[in-house]
């Protein structure tokens, strides 16, 4: 079997061989894509044991001052500045800790972190440590929204199954989402956590008015989907993307299909969707598709729930789909 190794520069960031013409003051100039290489190897230096501990032993190391006993994580000091530079030694700290601050959440990441968003980023004081370690934060319950992890929330360190010795090899989730055995386990792996059982929101029983609203909203969304699938521009927003999405609302369920430019909506229950969206009122989604307020905002504001964190990417694409259709319609009108 040939092992496919990941590249430092992902394929999608490597430009195509091509050129384009720009015109300045009626003069054409040819621009060509070219490359300049600046690869380098960097040493983790004295922090090597910390990163090797994460990679090989699934442990978190700190440094303990031989005089005052303070434990700092990560072990960035070989000598304690508070004790006339008394030497420190490496010690292992716990893998459960308390958030030192309420973490901000990144929803719109730069290309480097796009495959990791949305994520929280905050500082955790692990058991046995006196200083806070900066970590990425996730939830197992769907998408990370404000309020799930706050200052004081107890979190557990999770190790990615594939580790290279980087700080992104680890992240934290709320300890309350895990079993006591998982919380107690040293070196808990990502693959040992059940990510497939997020908690869907529960809605009250629908009234007749809700049922009518559901029928009407689905009808309007279907009409919109036809327009989107016919729009050259809108199709671009979901080019190369394929998702079957189950959408659950108070008054019923429907399916949304994204298939490489085609966008369709069917009043049907999907047996094994790629992910689930849930919103009490289907109008939330209808408004988003009509470009009246972003669907991403509805997720952040907790009006729309999605079952998989990384499907925020798909939500982002749906917003673009709505925006591109409106843009095309405006351009046509202008002509
Ligand atoms: Zn000291």
């Amino acid at each position: 079997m040939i092992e496919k190794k990941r590249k430092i520069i992902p394929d999608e960031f490597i430009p195509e061989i091509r050129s384009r013409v720009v015109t300045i003051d009626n003069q054409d100039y040819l621009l060509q894509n070219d490359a300049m290489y600046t690869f380098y190897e960097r040493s983790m230096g004295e922090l090597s044991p910390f990163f090797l501990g994460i990679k090989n032993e699934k442990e978190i190391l700190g440094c303990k001052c031989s005089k005052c006993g303070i434990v700092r994580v990560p072990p960035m000091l070989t000598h304690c500045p508070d004790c006339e530079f008394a030497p420190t030694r490496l010690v292992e700290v716990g893998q459960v800790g308390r958030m030192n601050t309420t973490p901000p959440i990144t929803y719109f990441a730069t290309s480097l972190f796009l495959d990791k968003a949305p994520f929280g980023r905050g500082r955790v004081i692990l058991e046995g440590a006196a200083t806070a370690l900066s970590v990425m934060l996730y939830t197992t319950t769907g998408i990370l929204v404000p309020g799930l992890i706050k200052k004081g929330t107890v979190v557990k360190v999770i190790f990615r199954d594939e580790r290279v010795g980087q700080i992104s090899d680890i992240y934290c989730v709320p300890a309350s989402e895990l079993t006591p055995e998982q919380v107690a386990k040293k070196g808990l792996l990502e693959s040992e956590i059940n990510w497939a059982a997020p908690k869907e929101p529960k809605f009250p029983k629908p009234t007749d008015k809700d049922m009518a609203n559901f029928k009407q909203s689905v009808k309007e969304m279907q009409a919109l989907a036809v327009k989107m699938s016919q729009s050259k521009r809108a199709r671009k927003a979901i080019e190369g993307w394929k998702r079957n999405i189950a959408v659950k609302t108070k008054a019923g369920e429907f399916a949304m299909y994204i298939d490489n430019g085609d966008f369709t909506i069917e009043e049907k229950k999907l047996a094994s969707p790629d992910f689930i969206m849930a919103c009490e009122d289907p109008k939330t989604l209808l408004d988003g598709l009509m470009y009246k307020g972003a669907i991403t905002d509805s997720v952040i504001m907790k009006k729309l729930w999605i079952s998989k964190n990384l499907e925020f990417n798909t939500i982002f694409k749906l917003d673009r789909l709505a925006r591109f259709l409106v843009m095309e319609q405006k351009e046509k009108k202008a002509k």
Side-chain angles (χ1 to χ4, degrees):
M1 209 179 92
I2 302 162
E3 191 194 351
K4 195 170 182 291
K5 287 197 174 142
R6 288 195 300 144
K7 297 281 188 286
I8 299 236
I9 300 174
D11 280 346
E12 59 264 38
F13 295 145
I14 299 175
E16 313 270 310
I17 296 174
R18 54 170 218 159
S19 61
R20 64 190 174 102
V21 173
V22 289
T23 309
I24 300 169
D25 294 337
N26 291 320
Q27 188 73 43
D28 287 346
Y29 296 94
L30 183 66
L31 300 188
Q32 284 180 343
N33 280 354
D34 217 321
M36 185 168 75
Y37 299 96
T38 52
F39 291 116
Y40 66 100
E41 258 185 329
R42 101 189 132 116
S43 167
M44 293 294 117
E46 283 158 346
L47 277 173
S48 293
F50 173 73
F51 291 109
L52 283 169
I54 288 176
K55 181 176 185 277
N56 298 330
E57 311 302 327
K58 288 183 274 169
E59 65 184 13
I60 310 288
L61 295 177
C63 60
K64 184 172 183 168
C65 171
S66 55
K67 213 167 169 188
C68 69
I70 189 174
V71 177
R72 296 179 173 96
V73 179
M76 71 287 255
L77 297 172
T78 54
H79 292 81
C80 181
D82 299 332
C83 301
E84 293 170 328
F85 298 100
T88 66
R89 65 180 173 87
L90 293 171
V91 289
E92 195 187 341
V93 296
Q95 299 185 358
V96 176
R98 212 171 266 280
M99 293 307 299
N100 198 21
T101 49
T102 297
I105 303 171
T106 300
Y107 288 100
F108 305 103
T110 58
S111 53
L112 274 179
F113 291 100
L114 204 57
D115 60 340
K116 295 191 169 73
F119 57 84
R121 178 118 206 138
R123 294 166 68 81
V124 58
I125 297 184
L126 295 171
E127 277 167 4
T131 62
L133 177 69
S134 179
V135 286
M136 294 257 241
L137 298 148
Y138 287 97
T139 174
T140 63
T141 59
I143 200 154
L144 191 60
V145 287
L148 260 180
I149 303 175
K150 292 179 279 202
K151 181 179 179 177
T153 301
V154 177
V155 295
K156 164 82 180 171
V157 176
I158 310 296
F159 291 78
R160 293 191 196 272
D161 290 64
E162 244 180 75
R163 297 180 302 283
V164 285
Q166 286 176 349
I167 197 66
S168 54
D169 286 348
I170 59 166
Y171 56 88
C172 287
V173 301
S176 60
E177 295 176 5
L178 304 171
T179 65
E181 294 74 33
Q182 287 176 323
V183 175
K185 185 173 180 179
K186 181 193 155 179
L188 185 65
L189 288 173
E190 183 171 55
S191 58
E192 294 177 86
I193 302 177
N194 183 10
W195 295 93
K199 279 179 212 139
E200 259 173 55
K202 288 212 162 58
F203 300 131
K205 270 213 165 359
T207 60
D208 286 349
K209 207 178 149 195
D210 291 330
M211 299 299 283
N213 171 46
F214 173 78
K215 290 271 175 212
Q216 182 59 28
S217 298
V218 171
K219 222 169 112 185
E220 282 180 48
M221 277 187 265
Q222 281 174 321
L224 210 53
V226 171
K227 278 188 199 161
M228 285 163 168
S229 295
Q230 287 168 348
S231 155
K232 218 173 153 185
R233 189 122 187 209
R235 292 183 69 90
K236 278 248 172 246
I238 48 170
E239 206 172 49
W241 206 249
K242 192 172 169 18
R243 289 289 187 278
N244 295 341
I245 311 160
V247 187
K248 299 184 178 179
T249 75
K250 180 157 79 167
E253 193 174 328
F254 60 95
M256 237 181 209
Y257 306 96
I258 298 173
D259 189 1
N260 193 22
D262 285 325
F263 183 56
T264 37
I265 287 170
E266 235 183 289
E267 211 189 306
K268 171 187 170 179
K269 280 188 184 182
L270 278 180
S272 48
D274 294 310
F275 74 102
I276 301 163
M277 275 188 207
C279 54
E280 189 164 341
D281 185 350
K283 274 225 164 74
T284 305
L285 207 52
L286 175 64
D287 283 350
L289 292 175
M290 287 171 77
Y291 197 50
K292 292 181 191 167
I295 308 173
T296 38
D297 284 347
S298 297
V299 175
I300 297 167
M301 305 302 284
K302 302 185 209 179
K303 272 161 73 188
L304 181 80
W305 174 91
I306 61 174
S307 61
K308 280 187 193 162
N309 195 54
L310 284 178
E311 291 299 343
F312 197 70
N313 264 328
T314 304
I315 303 293
F316 198 55
K317 282 176 193 288
L318 286 174
D319 273 335
R320 287 178 72 185
L321 185 67
R323 192 167 72 240
F324 284 7
L325 180 69
V326 169
M327 276 159 67
E328 193 181 77
Q329 286 169 341
K330 268 189 191 160
E331 279 166 10
K332 272 188 183 157
K333 254 187 206 164
K335 275 180 194 169

